Amino acid sequence: MNDVELYIHSREDDSIRELLFYLHDFILLQHPSMTSRLRYKIPFYDVLSWICYLNPLKKGGLELVFLHGQKISSHGEYLQSRGRKMVSGIIFLNVSDINETILGEIIQEAIIIDELIKS
């Protein structure tokens, strides 16, 4: 078990732990080029550089945050900047909130943006 999986197992809130496991598995299975690592005590996912991270929210729910979220054009209506200049995210309250098709397309665009920035 890696450090991200240990982090997920250690979460006390069952709904957050379920969301973390689901999104962690989805990201890594759907996008095999991604790797995960704990940074700043939360899970980050990267290819060439940081693509996204999973941020449990204090008031409940979990935000999947994209580091270059402001540059993502597909399904932008799902991304919320919440006053931030670079990053945007999607807040999930439970697994049933997740649309795998849309999420997969957003992650794929985030990977392409990362590749363009790093090339």
Side-chain angles (χ1 to χ4, degrees), residues 2-86:
N2 66 30
D3 59 344
V4 171
E5 291 165 344
L6 289 171
Y7 166 84
I8 295 170
H9 274 292
S10 73
R11 302 304 297 188
E12 292 181 12
D13 183 323
D14 290 342
S15 63
I16 297 299
R17 188 172 50 250
E18 181 182 16
L19 275 166
L20 283 164
F21 267 124
Y22 188 91
L23 288 169
H24 174 75
D25 288 344
F26 179 82
I27 291 167
L28 295 180
L29 291 173
Q30 296 294 316
H31 305 281
S33 60
M34 289 269 211
T35 58
S36 65
R37 179 185 298 168
L38 279 186
R39 293 182 175 100
Y40 306 105
K41 300 181 182 181
I42 56 175
F44 274 74
Y45 300 85
D46 56 81
V47 178
L48 299 176
S49 65
W50 302 351
I51 304 288
C52 58
Y53 60 90
L54 296 173
N55 186 28
L57 302 172
K58 292 179 182 176
K59 295 183 179 181
L62 177 74
E63 185 176 24
L64 173 58
V65 181
F66 294 91
L67 279 292
H68 295 286
Q70 298 291 333
K71 295 179 180 179
I72 295 173
S73 60
S74 66
H75 308 292
E77 67 274 13
Y78 290 94
L79 297 167
Q80 301 172 13
S81 67
R82 300 185 334 150
R84 300 169 291 195
K85 294 184 180 185
M86 265 185 66

Side-chain angles (χ1 to χ4, degrees), residues 87-103:
V87 304
S88 293
I90 306 169
I91 295 175
F92 301 105
L93 299 177
N94 53 58
V95 171
S96 64
D97 293 342
I98 301 169
N99 181 320
E100 289 184 353
T101 302
I102 291 171
L103 183 58

